[in-house]
Amino acid sequence: METENLEQTAEALESIEQDMNVESASEEFQNLYHLLRNTVGPKIAGDYREKGYTYYRNEDFEAAIEFLKKAVYYDSSNANSLLDLGNAYRKNGDSDEAIATYDQVIEQFPDTEYARRAQQFKKELETEE
C-alpha cells in the first residue's frame, strides 16, 4: 500500500489474477485484492495510457494495444483510453476487436464526442468489409 513503484504493484496484481480465480478465493482475500487494485488502478491507468498512446503515435500498435488494455482494465471510466484502444486495434488490422471496442465506447459513453467518433470509425470499418 505504501510502495512508490506502482508498475511493480500492478504487475503483481496482474500475476495474481493470471494465476488464480480471484472471485473463487475467500471473501477476505477478494476484499484485499480489490482494495489494492482500486488504490493502484487510477494512478497506474494514466501511466499505461500515456505509454500506450506513445506506442500508438510511433505506429507500434501491438505494444499500444498491450498498454491501452491495461489502462482500460485499471480505469474503465476513461473514454479516451477506450477509444484509443479501438483505434489501435483498427490500425493493427483487427476489425472485429476494433468494432467491439467501439461498441463499448458507444454503450458506456452515450451522447458524447467519444461515442460519435466511435460510431464514425465503426461505420468506416463496416463499409470496408
Side-chain angles (χ1 to χ4, degrees):
M1 294 291 288
E2 297 174 10
T3 183
E4 292 295 319
N5 190 336
L6 296 177
E7 194 164 334
Q8 184 179 18
T9 303
E11 287 173 6
L13 289 171
E14 291 162 19
S15 177
I16 290 169
E17 191 163 294
Q18 288 174 0
D19 292 344
M20 68 177 296
N21 181 352
V22 173
E23 299 310 315
S24 68
S26 70
E27 184 177 342
E28 293 82 6
F29 180 87
Q30 288 181 44
N31 290 340
L32 178 59
Y33 175 84
H34 291 295
L35 174 66
L36 287 169
R37 185 173 162 209
N38 292 338
T39 300
V40 171
K43 297 171 188 171
I44 195 68
D47 291 346
Y48 281 144
R49 183 186 183 290
E50 189 176 307
K51 286 179 183 176
Y53 195 68
T54 298
Y55 282 114
Y56 180 87
R57 283 193 317 266
N58 292 327
E59 299 184 4
D60 184 348
F61 302 116
E62 287 186 26
I65 290 166
E66 177 187 339
F67 283 98
L68 290 169
K69 280 173 65 173
K70 289 180 180 184
V72 169
Y73 174 78
Y74 284 106
D75 183 5
S76 62
S77 68
N78 188 319
N80 218 6
S81 293
L82 195 56
L83 185 62
D84 288 345
L85 178 59
N87 290 337
Y89 280 126
R90 180 171 53 100
K91 294 284 191 170
N92 202 41
D94 192 341
S95 297
D96 292 340
E97 283 296 326
I99 289 171
T101 304
Y102 291 144
D103 283 340
Q104 284 182 295
V105 174
I106 294 163
E107 182 181 312
Q108 288 180 240
F109 307 98
D111 302 320
T112 66
E113 181 61 28
Y114 298 107
R116 286 186 282 284
R117 290 173 57 204
Q119 187 64 48
Q120 177 186 349
F121 293 138
K122 180 181 171 185
K123 190 179 292 186
E124 290 172 8
L125 283 172
E126 291 171 338
T127 58
E128 289 175 5
E129 294 178 349

